[in-house]
PDB file of all heavy atoms in Angstrom:
ATOM      1  N   TRP A 375     -31.062  10.049  -5.694  1.00 97.00           N
ATOM      2  CA  TRP A 375     -30.623  10.007  -4.291  1.00 97.00           C
ATOM      3  C   TRP A 375     -29.092   9.884  -4.295  1.00 97.00           C
ATOM      4  O   TRP A 375     -28.548   8.810  -4.117  1.00 97.00           O
ATOM      5  CB  TRP A 375     -31.230   8.801  -3.591  1.00 97.00           C
ATOM      6  CG  TRP A 375     -31.663   9.013  -2.159  1.00 97.00           C
ATOM      7  CD1 TRP A 375     -32.941   9.177  -1.735  1.00 97.00           C
ATOM      8  CD2 TRP A 375     -30.844   9.040  -0.970  1.00 97.00           C
ATOM      9  NE1 TRP A 375     -32.980   9.308  -0.358  1.00 97.00           N
ATOM     10  CE2 TRP A 375     -31.702   9.233   0.136  1.00 97.00           C
ATOM     11  CE3 TRP A 375     -29.474   8.943  -0.725  1.00 97.00           C
ATOM     12  CZ2 TRP A 375     -31.254   9.309   1.456  1.00 97.00           C
ATOM     13  CZ3 TRP A 375     -29.030   9.017   0.589  1.00 97.00           C
ATOM     14  CH2 TRP A 375     -29.909   9.208   1.658  1.00 97.00           C
ATOM     15  N   ARG A 376     -28.442  11.015  -4.549  1.00 98.00           N
ATOM     16  CA  ARG A 376     -26.979  10.988  -4.620  1.00 98.00           C
ATOM     17  C   ARG A 376     -26.402  11.037  -3.207  1.00 98.00           C
ATOM     18  O   ARG A 376     -26.723  11.943  -2.421  1.00 98.00           O
ATOM     19  CB  ARG A 376     -26.475  12.177  -5.440  1.00 98.00           C
ATOM     20  CG  ARG A 376     -24.978  12.139  -5.650  1.00 98.00           C
ATOM     21  CD  ARG A 376     -24.548  13.205  -6.614  1.00 98.00           C
ATOM     22  NE  ARG A 376     -23.140  13.495  -6.470  1.00 98.00           N
ATOM     23  CZ  ARG A 376     -22.169  12.789  -7.011  1.00 98.00           C
ATOM     24  NH1 ARG A 376     -22.459  11.735  -7.752  1.00 98.00           N
ATOM     25  NH2 ARG A 376     -20.906  13.112  -6.832  1.00 98.00           N
ATOM     26  N   VAL A 377     -25.569  10.057  -2.910  1.00 98.00           N
ATOM     27  CA  VAL A 377     -24.988   9.978  -1.566  1.00 98.00           C
ATOM     28  C   VAL A 377     -23.788  10.920  -1.480  1.00 98.00           C
ATOM     29  O   VAL A 377     -22.903  10.903  -2.346  1.00 98.00           O
ATOM     30  CB  VAL A 377     -24.566   8.531  -1.228  1.00 98.00           C
ATOM     31  CG1 VAL A 377     -23.881   8.481   0.141  1.00 98.00           C
ATOM     32  CG2 VAL A 377     -25.758   7.606  -1.271  1.00 98.00           C
ATOM     33  N   GLU A 378     -23.786  11.742  -0.452  1.00 97.00           N
ATOM     34  CA  GLU A 378     -22.697  12.685  -0.245  1.00 97.00           C
ATOM     35  C   GLU A 378     -21.608  12.048   0.626  1.00 97.00           C
ATOM     36  O   GLU A 378     -20.431  12.107   0.322  1.00 97.00           O
ATOM     37  CB  GLU A 378     -23.248  13.949   0.428  1.00 97.00           C
ATOM     38  CG  GLU A 378     -22.242  15.039   0.697  1.00 97.00           C
ATOM     39  CD  GLU A 378     -21.535  15.519  -0.561  1.00 97.00           C
ATOM     40  OE1 GLU A 378     -22.148  15.478  -1.639  1.00 97.00           O
ATOM     41  OE2 GLU A 378     -20.351  15.917  -0.457  1.00 97.00           O
ATOM     42  N   ARG A 379     -22.059  11.411   1.739  1.00 96.00           N
ATOM     43  CA  ARG A 379     -21.088  10.773   2.630  1.00 96.00           C
ATOM     44  C   ARG A 379     -21.761   9.699   3.464  1.00 96.00           C
ATOM     45  O   ARG A 379     -22.985   9.673   3.621  1.00 96.00           O
ATOM     46  CB  ARG A 379     -20.385  11.802   3.515  1.00 96.00           C
ATOM     47  CG  ARG A 379     -21.278  12.507   4.482  1.00 96.00           C
ATOM     48  CD  ARG A 379     -20.482  13.528   5.292  1.00 96.00           C
ATOM     49  NE  ARG A 379     -21.143  13.790   6.553  1.00 96.00           N
ATOM     50  CZ  ARG A 379     -22.215  14.552   6.702  1.00 96.00           C
ATOM     51  NH1 ARG A 379     -22.761  15.135   5.638  1.00 96.00           N
ATOM     52  NH2 ARG A 379     -22.761  14.729   7.881  1.00 96.00           N
ATOM     53  N   HIS A 392     -25.753   9.828   4.160  1.00 95.00           N
ATOM     54  CA  HIS A 392     -26.255  11.193   3.938  1.00 95.00           C
ATOM     55  C   HIS A 392     -26.397  11.488   2.449  1.00 95.00           C
ATOM     56  O   HIS A 392     -25.469  11.234   1.665  1.00 95.00           O
ATOM     57  CB  HIS A 392     -25.280  12.226   4.527  1.00 95.00           C
ATOM     58  CG  HIS A 392     -25.178  12.145   6.016  1.00 95.00           C
ATOM     59  ND1 HIS A 392     -26.002  12.853   6.853  1.00 95.00           N
ATOM     60  CD2 HIS A 392     -24.352  11.422   6.811  1.00 95.00           C
ATOM     61  CE1 HIS A 392     -25.681  12.588   8.115  1.00 95.00           C
ATOM     62  NE2 HIS A 392     -24.680  11.718   8.117  1.00 95.00           N
ATOM     63  N   ALA A 393     -27.525  12.071   2.078  1.00 95.00           N
ATOM     64  CA  ALA A 393     -27.738  12.454   0.675  1.00 95.00           C
ATOM     65  C   ALA A 393     -27.150  13.835   0.419  1.00 95.00           C
ATOM     66  O   ALA A 393     -26.959  14.630   1.346  1.00 95.00           O
ATOM     67  CB  ALA A 393     -29.231  12.483   0.377  1.00 95.00           C
ATOM     68  N   GLN A 394     -26.882  14.114  -0.849  1.00 95.00           N
ATOM     69  CA  GLN A 394     -26.415  15.446  -1.215  1.00 95.00           C
ATOM     70  C   GLN A 394     -27.580  16.444  -1.065  1.00 95.00           C
ATOM     71  O   GLN A 394     -27.391  17.548  -0.569  1.00 95.00           O
ATOM     72  CB  GLN A 394     -25.934  15.416  -2.659  1.00 95.00           C
ATOM     73  CG  GLN A 394     -25.129  16.617  -3.061  1.00 95.00           C
ATOM     74  CD  GLN A 394     -24.685  16.474  -4.503  1.00 95.00           C
ATOM     75  OE1 GLN A 394     -25.485  16.226  -5.390  1.00 95.00           O
ATOM     76  NE2 GLN A 394     -23.394  16.646  -4.720  1.00 95.00           N
ATOM     77  N   ALA A 395     -28.778  15.996  -1.468  1.00 94.00           N
ATOM     78  CA  ALA A 395     -29.952  16.870  -1.385  1.00 94.00           C
ATOM     79  C   ALA A 395     -30.454  16.933   0.046  1.00 94.00           C
ATOM     80  O   ALA A 395     -30.689  15.885   0.662  1.00 94.00           O
ATOM     81  CB  ALA A 395     -31.051  16.339  -2.302  1.00 94.00           C
ATOM     82  N   GLU A 396     -30.606  18.143   0.536  1.00 90.00           N
ATOM     83  CA  GLU A 396     -31.049  18.293   1.927  1.00 90.00           C
ATOM     84  C   GLU A 396     -32.453  17.766   2.136  1.00 90.00           C
ATOM     85  O   GLU A 396     -32.846  17.410   3.244  1.00 90.00           O
ATOM     86  CB  GLU A 396     -30.963  19.758   2.352  1.00 90.00           C
ATOM     87  CG  GLU A 396     -29.536  20.177   2.623  1.00 90.00           C
ATOM     88  CD  GLU A 396     -29.465  21.524   3.292  1.00 90.00           C
ATOM     89  OE1 GLU A 396     -30.525  22.105   3.589  1.00 90.00           O
ATOM     90  OE2 GLU A 396     -28.330  21.993   3.513  1.00 90.00           O
ATOM     91  N   SER A 397     -33.210  17.694   1.057  1.00 91.00           N
ATOM     92  CA  SER A 397     -34.595  17.231   1.193  1.00 91.00           C
ATOM     93  C   SER A 397     -34.677  15.734   1.506  1.00 91.00           C
ATOM     94  O   SER A 397     -35.721  15.252   1.933  1.00 91.00           O
ATOM     95  CB  SER A 397     -35.366  17.530  -0.088  1.00 91.00           C
ATOM     96  OG  SER A 397     -34.645  17.032  -1.185  1.00 91.00           O
ATOM     97  N   HIS A 398     -33.607  15.002   1.259  1.00 92.00           N
ATOM     98  CA  HIS A 398     -33.619  13.573   1.587  1.00 92.00           C
ATOM     99  C   HIS A 398     -33.088  13.359   2.998  1.00 92.00           C
ATOM    100  O   HIS A 398     -31.940  13.714   3.290  1.00 92.00           O
ATOM    101  CB  HIS A 398     -32.735  12.778   0.626  1.00 92.00           C
ATOM    102  CG  HIS A 398     -33.201  12.803  -0.794  1.00 92.00           C
ATOM    103  ND1 HIS A 398     -34.521  12.685  -1.142  1.00 92.00           N
ATOM    104  CD2 HIS A 398     -32.519  12.932  -1.953  1.00 92.00           C
ATOM    105  CE1 HIS A 398     -34.624  12.740  -2.455  1.00 92.00           C
ATOM    106  NE2 HIS A 398     -33.431  12.898  -2.976  1.00 92.00           N
TER     107      HIS A 398
END
Side-chain angles (χ1 to χ4, degrees):
W375 218 103
R376 185 172 160 82
V377 176
E378 181 58 31
R379 65 181 204 283
H392 295 271
Q394 194 179 52
E396 284 191 3
S397 51
H398 296 318

